Amino acid sequence: KLSQPSPLERGPHQSEWGGWRSRTMADSTALKEEGNGHFKAGRYAAAVESYTKSLEQEPAQHLVLSNRSAAYLKLGGAAEQSLMDAERCVELAPSFAKGYSRQAAALQALKRWEDAIKICESGMQAAPDDALKKMLSEVRSRHFLDKLQGLWHGKVSDELGGYNQEMEFMEGNRVQVAVFGRSVVGTCSLDCDPDPHKLTIQVPMPDAPPGMPPPPPVPYIVKLDDAGLHLCCPAGPHELRPMKFAGPGYCHMVRGKLAMEDSAAEMASLTEDEKLLLCAKEFKEALPEQTLQDLMPNDSEEVGREKLMAQVKFESSMFAVKNKFGDNLMTRVLEAAKGDGPVPACLAKSSELRGLREKLVRVELIPPSSPQTSSAPTPAAPPKAHAPPSSATPAVPPRADAEKGGGSAAPAPQAPPAAGGSSWVIIAALAVSAVAVVAGVVVWQKRKR
């Protein structure tokens, strides 16, 4: 080991160099601290400038390179520069764990997910660190969410309603869930450490009354492969997050928008009278066999789930009828059954209209005292051009007992407007198997004609 010369042994040039060296180190430190101040204040461009001046005087400062890498990343659009600083930082200080974190952060910004995972794994070997371990988990989850981005559609099992659903995964851990032509935007979180991976979806209910707790999150397991997206949620009371992709809670989804069933060819071959008669028949078949019951706070989990399932199945059936016949035709048939609108001649004495009215009364969607359908046709206005199907089904009349103002009977299930007021439908369809949702979904959309 070489000894250092004493001050007396140093020549004038050595002393002069030593003084310059000390001043340079002091200046670079001051510039680093200046950069840190800018960074903390959110002035990232100024921070980069100060760090750069510090590095001009002392190029081998791994801490300054690490800080400038972070500042470049905060600036946006400078991920490549951030990565170069992080790589140089690791070269200078291979045992500095944060250098690997900086590299992984820059690689994520560049969406080089596999490289980011490798860097985290290399860092864990060179400099084991809890923060780096956490970042490795985050990188895996973000990589999966990036592959998940976009629109998916699939059909849930018949046990859970047999309806079609769409999910669109977006930036910022947001997910839009659409069922029955209505949608709501919620959030999702992912944990890729366990196998199978865990996906949790939380949707809001903006039309809930004050004090109503939010619906609970819906726990899924999830995987992606060449066949598409595989989801599985609990399928009954007291069930936890599943461990395998099987059972009623399983749903296979494929990329792209759901293609609506095209009944145009079938409808084009029918006359107007045939359409009205068929609409009345299928409208009746879509109605529930029993009166739909309101969810009550003291319902057991099993009873609440059964009520919720009945509502979801009703919504699904009505949505299918609406898509086939359109709002215009459905409204004409419903008004004829209620007796408060013109009755087309083909329906006046038909068994289809009589059966529809009888079922509407039986399930308490119209009161028995409603005006009877006349046996003679009411002059009807000329048929209107069919409007494009909207996302709202024609309103079903209120329950008979609801109009009397007594008891706890629920109003008739309605199809709320597309913009707002429909979140309970999506929540019910999304989380019909999550028992705890019963407590959160007790708001029914009330809309009387």
Side-chain angles (χ1 to χ4, degrees):
K1 182 178 179 180
L2 297 175
S3 59
Q4 298 294 321
S6 67
L8 294 175
E9 293 171 323
R10 292 172 184 163
H13 295 296
Q14 285 181 305
S15 298
E16 182 179 337
W17 182 88
W20 176 84
R21 172 69 174 163
S22 298
R23 288 193 301 274
T24 299
M25 291 178 66
D27 289 346
S28 65
T29 300
L31 288 166
K32 180 187 78 171
E33 294 302 324
E34 180 181 274
N36 291 345
H38 288 313
F39 188 96
K40 291 176 182 176
R43 298 186 293 269
Y44 302 117
V48 166
E49 184 178 351
S50 296
Y51 291 143
T52 300
K53 290 178 180 177
S54 178
L55 287 165
E56 286 172 353
Q57 300 197 26
E58 286 289 326
Q61 299 178 86
H62 72 278
L63 290 175
V64 178
L65 285 162
S66 172
N67 292 350
R68 190 172 71 173
S69 173
Y72 271 133
L73 210 54
K74 289 285 188 180
L75 274 177
E80 291 286 0
Q81 295 94 317
S82 174
L83 179 59
M84 286 190 288
D85 277 357
E87 289 173 340
R88 178 59 178 154
C89 173
V90 169
E91 288 176 10
L92 292 169
S95 61
F96 181 55
K98 188 169 283 188
Y100 298 95
S101 297
R102 299 295 192 211
Q103 271 189 276
L107 288 165
Q108 286 183 84
L110 295 167
K111 296 199 172 184
R112 290 169 55 183
W113 305 106
E114 298 294 344
D115 290 337
I117 289 171
K118 289 177 183 177
I119 286 298
C120 287
E121 292 171 342
S122 298
M124 291 290 292
Q125 292 180 354
D129 179 78
D130 288 342
L132 199 53
K133 182 179 179 181
K134 182 180 178 182
M135 173 165 269
L136 176 58
S137 177
E138 291 173 352
V139 173
R140 287 173 175 157
S141 295
R142 288 171 185 164
H143 184 201
F144 192 94
L145 283 171
D146 184 68
K147 292 190 290 184
L148 204 57
Q149 296 251 323
L151 194 62
W152 300 84
H153 72 271
K155 186 176 181 180
V156 306
S157 67
D158 290 338
E159 293 92 330
L160 295 187
Y163 56 86
N164 287 299
Q165 66 178 355
E166 287 183 343
M167 288 187 182
E168 183 176 7
F169 294 89
M170 301 176 285
E171 294 283 351
N173 289 1
R174 294 179 303 133
V175 57
Q176 179 169 273
V177 182
V179 293
F180 312 137
R182 282 160 274 169
S183 64
V184 65
V185 176
T187 57
C188 65
S189 60
L190 186 71
D191 182 0
C192 284
D193 285 344
D195 186 18
H197 301 334
K198 295 179 180 180
L199 174 70
T200 302
I201 293 180
Q202 174 77 65
V203 291
M205 191 162 67
D207 53 345
M212 175 70 69
V218 186
Y220 291 90
I221 53 172
V222 59
K223 71 175 180 179
L224 276 170
D225 59 23
D226 293 341
L229 172 63
H230 305 267
L231 295 171
C232 195
C233 66
H238 312 297
E239 290 191 16
L240 302 176
R241 193 189 304 265
M243 294 301 296
K244 59 182 180 179
F245 296 92
Y250 172 71
C251 180
H252 172 231
M253 306 185 81
V254 296
R255 279 201 180 274
K257 187 172 179 61
L258 175 67
M260 301 305 296
E261 186 176 342
D262 188 5
S263 56
E266 177 190 354
M267 298 299 290
S269 66
L270 301 178
T271 65
E272 187 72 9
D273 287 354
E274 288 171 333
K275 290 176 186 177
L276 287 165
L277 289 165
L278 185 60
C279 182
K281 176 177 178 291
E282 295 192 12
F283 201 146
K284 174 193 169 186
E285 293 171 352
L287 293 172
E289 293 301 319
Q290 304 176 47
T291 302
L292 292 171
Q293 299 296 318
D294 195 3
L295 289 168
M296 303 302 293
N298 59 347
D299 281 341
S300 68
E301 292 175 347
E302 187 62 43
V303 169
R305 182 174 180 274
E306 288 176 1
K307 290 179 178 181
L308 201 56
M309 281 296 308
Q311 182 65 39
V312 169
K313 288 179 179 179
F314 172 56
E315 283 282 338
S316 180
S317 299
M318 292 295 287
F319 184 63
V321 175
K322 184 213 73 169
N323 279 334
K324 183 172 182 177
F325 295 98
D327 293 334
N328 188 359
L329 207 65
M330 272 189 86
T331 301
R332 291 173 63 194
V333 170
L334 178 59
E335 288 180 349
K338 290 166 59 182
D340 60 0
V343 182
C346 66
L347 291 177
K349 296 183 179 181
S350 70
S351 60
E352 288 85 353
L353 186 64
R354 183 169 62 254
L356 173 59
R357 173 173 170 73
E358 288 173 354
K359 194 167 185 181
L360 285 167
V361 171
R362 187 168 71 249
V363 298
E364 300 180 60
L365 290 177
I366 63 173
S369 58
S370 284
Q372 297 298 315
T373 304
S374 171
S375 59
T378 304
K384 299 177 183 178
H386 287 211
S390 70
S391 59
T393 306
V396 177
R399 281 252 307 270
D401 51 1
E403 290 193 344
K404 296 175 184 176
S408 60
Q414 304 297 320
S422 62
S423 55
W424 73 266
V425 177
I426 289 94
I427 294 163
L430 174 69
V432 69
S433 60
V435 175
V437 82
V438 172
V441 188
V442 295
V443 176
W444 297 79
Q445 182 70 19
K446 300 179 181 179
R447 206 177 86 191
K448 297 183 180 180
R449 291 180 64 83

